[in-house]
């Protein structure tokens, strides 16, 4: 599986935007970029995914570099409830590829009031 | 609440005992996954089912671990002769098996082996 690299931790102030980076220099053409987050004492939850174009949903935006070797998850206004571990995951959709998610250690986001 | 439930939420057992966990996925989801998560680490894949067929098992799944999904609905994960190293959070997830296959995770079962 192609590997992702994320900072171990980041801090943000409440109601300010947060940009969470992810490097994936060995990404293949059939890898989608997925983001999940895990709030304290809960299972991971899906946030967003994309292939080449930037994506927006009600939770966040995903900005993907033109060469696809990096991406950034953007939370437009962080709230205290956004404090979580954020995982950047590559999912290969080529036939025969693994179905499971391969998690790294993620980025622990702390939101300060 | 994602619609995936797990039971029990917490389990304390003594080394050498057997334990069984249950996962109830979202009803229309045909894929079901088990992951294990230790403190400070991301979840690690254990095994997955498509309907009742167990299609893949991780090398992490030793002979002491067995999983079933007898009717393609709920699943059980059994650990025999538990060891202290089995202490972890056991997570279940389900997906529709189509498109990008967003996985929906349950709250997990936290196992402590004394």
């Amino acid at each position: 599986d192609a590997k992702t690299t994320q900072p171990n931790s980041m801090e943000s102030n409440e109601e300010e935007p947060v940009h969470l980076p992810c490097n994936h220099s060995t990404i293949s053409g059939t890898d989608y970029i997925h983001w999940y987050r895990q709030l304290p004492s809960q299972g991971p939850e899906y946030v967003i995914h994309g292939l080449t174009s930037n994506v927006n949903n009600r939770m966040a935006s995903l900005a993907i570099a033109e060469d696809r070797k990096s991406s950034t998850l953007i939370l437009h206004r962080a709230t205290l409830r956004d404090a979580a571990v954020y995982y950047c995951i590559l999912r290969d959709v080529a036939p025969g590829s693994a179905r499971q998610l391969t998690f790294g250690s993620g980025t622990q986001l702390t939101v300060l009031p | 609440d994602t619609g995936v439930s797990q039971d029990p939420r917490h389990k304390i057992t003594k080394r050498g005992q057997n334990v069984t966990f249950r996962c109830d996925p979202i009803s229309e989801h045909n894929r079901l996954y088990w992951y294990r998560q230790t403190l400070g680490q991301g979840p690690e894949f254990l095994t997955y089912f498509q309907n009742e067929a167990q299609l893949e098992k991780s090398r992490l799944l030793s002979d002491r671990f067995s999983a079933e999904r007898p009717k393609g609905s709920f699943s059980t994960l059994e650990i025999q002769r538990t060891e202290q190293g089995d202490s972890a959070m056991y997570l279940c997830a389900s997906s529709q098996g189509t498109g990008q296959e967003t996985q929906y995770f349950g709250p997990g079962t936290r196992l402590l082996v004394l």
Side-chain angles (χ1 to χ4, degrees):
Chain A
D1 289 333
K3 191 175 168 62
T4 63
T5 305
Q6 300 177 252
N8 288 335
S9 62
M10 290 185 65
E11 277 188 0
S12 171
N13 294 319
E14 196 176 10
E15 298 188 4
E16 290 186 357
V18 183
H19 291 235
L20 296 163
C22 181
N23 288 318
H24 27 79
S25 58
T26 60
I27 192 169
S28 75
T30 51
D31 280 324
Y32 275 74
I33 302 158
H34 287 244
W35 285 81
Y36 282 72
R37 72 178 185 180
Q38 188 171 20
L39 285 79
S41 301
Q42 295 187 26
E45 66 172 340
Y46 167 80
V47 178
I48 200 167
H49 76 272
L51 182 63
T52 56
S53 304
N54 294 346
V55 184
N56 300 296
N57 67 20
R58 64 174 181 81
M59 289 181 72
S61 295
L62 177 60
I64 301 172
E66 198 168 333
D67 63 4
R68 302 210 322 126
K69 294 185 176 182
S70 65
S71 60
T72 303
L73 180 71
I74 302 165
L75 307 179
H76 295 286
R77 278 180 81 235
T79 70
L80 297 178
R81 288 174 294 179
D82 291 320
V85 178
Y86 286 78
Y87 296 100
C88 171
I89 299 167
L90 299 183
R91 288 211 64 208
D92 192 347
V93 296
S97 297
R99 302 287 92 196
Q100 64 269 21
L101 299 172
T102 301
F103 291 82
S105 298
T107 297
Q108 173 69 63
L109 175 66
T110 301
V111 180
L112 304 173
Chain B
D1 184 357
T2 62
V4 179
S5 61
Q6 293 188 244
D7 184 68
R9 294 290 309 276
H10 303 273
K11 179 71 177 179
I12 300 174
T13 192
K14 293 182 180 177
R15 190 176 52 184
Q17 298 294 303
N18 298 345
V19 294
T20 299
F21 310 140
R22 177 180 170 124
C23 171
D24 286 89
I26 294 171
S27 58
E28 62 267 27
H29 285 183
N30 60 9
R31 288 196 175 147
L32 186 148
Y33 300 80
W34 285 98
Y35 294 84
R36 180 173 71 184
Q37 185 174 27
T38 53
L39 209 57
Q41 302 299 314
E44 296 174 293
F45 168 73
L46 291 178
T47 188
Y48 98 90
F49 293 82
Q50 178 153 326
N51 300 313
E52 65 275 10
Q54 188 173 17
L55 294 188
E56 190 165 344
K57 292 193 283 188
S58 161
R59 286 171 296 175
L60 291 175
L61 212 66
S62 76
D63 291 345
R64 297 183 298 104
F65 287 70
S66 63
E68 293 183 340
R69 194 181 183 199
K71 297 181 181 178
S73 56
F74 73 92
S75 175
T76 58
L77 178 69
E78 181 183 17
I79 309 174
Q80 296 183 328
R81 304 180 304 281
T82 52
E83 301 173 355
Q84 288 183 326
D86 297 331
S87 296
M89 174 77 85
Y90 290 84
L91 293 159
C92 173
S94 69
S95 73
Q96 282 188 314
T98 58
Q100 276 305 300
E101 275 200 68
T102 296
Q103 292 188 18
Y104 295 84
F105 284 79
T109 294
R110 185 169 294 283
L111 173 66
L112 178 61
V113 182
L114 300 175

